[in-house]
Amino acid sequence: MLILGFIVKSIEHCFRYAKRKAALSKVKTAISSTRSRSVDEYNEQDPNFNRLEYIHYNAEFKAGSEMDEKIRQGTVDRRVLTTLLQQRATELIHRRGVLMRNEMSVTRAYKMDMLPLEVWDDFQAAKESLQKEIKMVQYLSHNLGVNFKNAR
């Protein structure tokens, strides 16, 4: 009787082990399939939002790099540069809003040791690049004679 009970318990343990192993493989698959998405493309309110995506805060400023490329090519058309500057400022404001919205939760998670260091470093680098971009937009708007203070 004791041997039969031992065999039944061993089978139960093996079954439980296999069940947990299968559940764990699903978790590993979900974790390894996460990918980053640029802060400009990230939208949690979208009904088709993929929960396996996370914000890459320090992504490249697309409008900024496009405008820098036009300037390097020697574009002097004021209308084109002004349009690109407006797009650059809009992207800057959007990114600033996202960083401000998420700053409290990211800081709190970091203080509680629940945030990976890579995310914290990315967030800090994004704040630094935001400051550089603000200075660049101010410089370019001054040089192009565009006043964003009175624009609506």
Side-chain angles (χ1 to χ4, degrees), residues 45-59:
Q45 283 75 30
D46 183 12
N48 298 325
F49 174 68
N50 185 358
R51 296 288 171 201
L52 294 178
E53 293 178 341
Y54 61 91
I55 298 180
H56 178 65
Y57 290 104
N58 195 22

Side-chain angles (χ1 to χ4, degrees), residues 1-135:
M1 187 68 159
L2 210 53
I3 294 175
L4 187 60
F6 176 74
I7 293 172
V8 169
K9 275 297 189 185
S10 296
I11 292 173
E12 285 179 7
H13 283 299
C14 289
F15 179 72
R16 198 173 316 140
Y17 173 77
K19 190 175 175 182
R20 288 180 180 170
K21 186 80 170 172
L24 184 61
S25 69
K26 289 180 185 176
V27 171
K28 283 183 182 177
T29 303
I31 290 173
S32 62
S33 66
T34 59
R35 28 177 246 263
S36 66
R37 177 172 274 220
S38 171
V39 67
D40 299 320
E41 300 168 357
Y42 193 83
N43 184 9
E44 290 181 346
Q45 283 75 30
D46 183 12
N48 298 325
F49 174 68
N50 185 358
R51 296 288 171 201
L52 294 178
E53 293 178 341
Y54 61 91
I55 298 180
H56 178 65
Y57 290 104
N58 195 22
E60 179 184 32
F61 285 92
K62 292 179 182 169
S65 61
E66 183 181 346
M67 184 176 184
D68 293 343
E69 184 63 33
K70 291 283 187 187
I71 291 171
R72 267 189 237 106
Q73 291 174 356
T75 303
V76 292
D77 186 7
R78 184 174 164 76
R79 186 178 50 82
V80 171
L81 292 176
T82 304
T83 303
L84 287 172
L85 182 61
Q86 288 175 344
Q87 290 173 357
R88 192 173 191 160
T90 303
E91 184 179 11
L92 176 73
I93 290 170
H94 169 73
R95 188 159 314 179
R96 180 175 174 256
V98 170
L99 288 175
M100 287 176 64
R101 261 193 316 275
N102 293 346
E103 186 168 19
M104 286 289 284
S105 60
V106 169
T107 304
R108 188 178 320 123
Y110 177 73
K111 286 181 180 179
M112 293 187 332
D113 236 4
M114 295 179 61
L115 188 73
L117 188 58
E118 296 86 24
V119 176
W120 177 253
D121 290 340
D122 179 51
F123 189 78
Q124 294 302 317
K127 287 176 21 179
E128 289 175 17
S129 67
L130 183 75
Q131 290 302 318
K132 289 177 186 175
E133 188 69 12
I134 288 171
K135 296 217 182 290

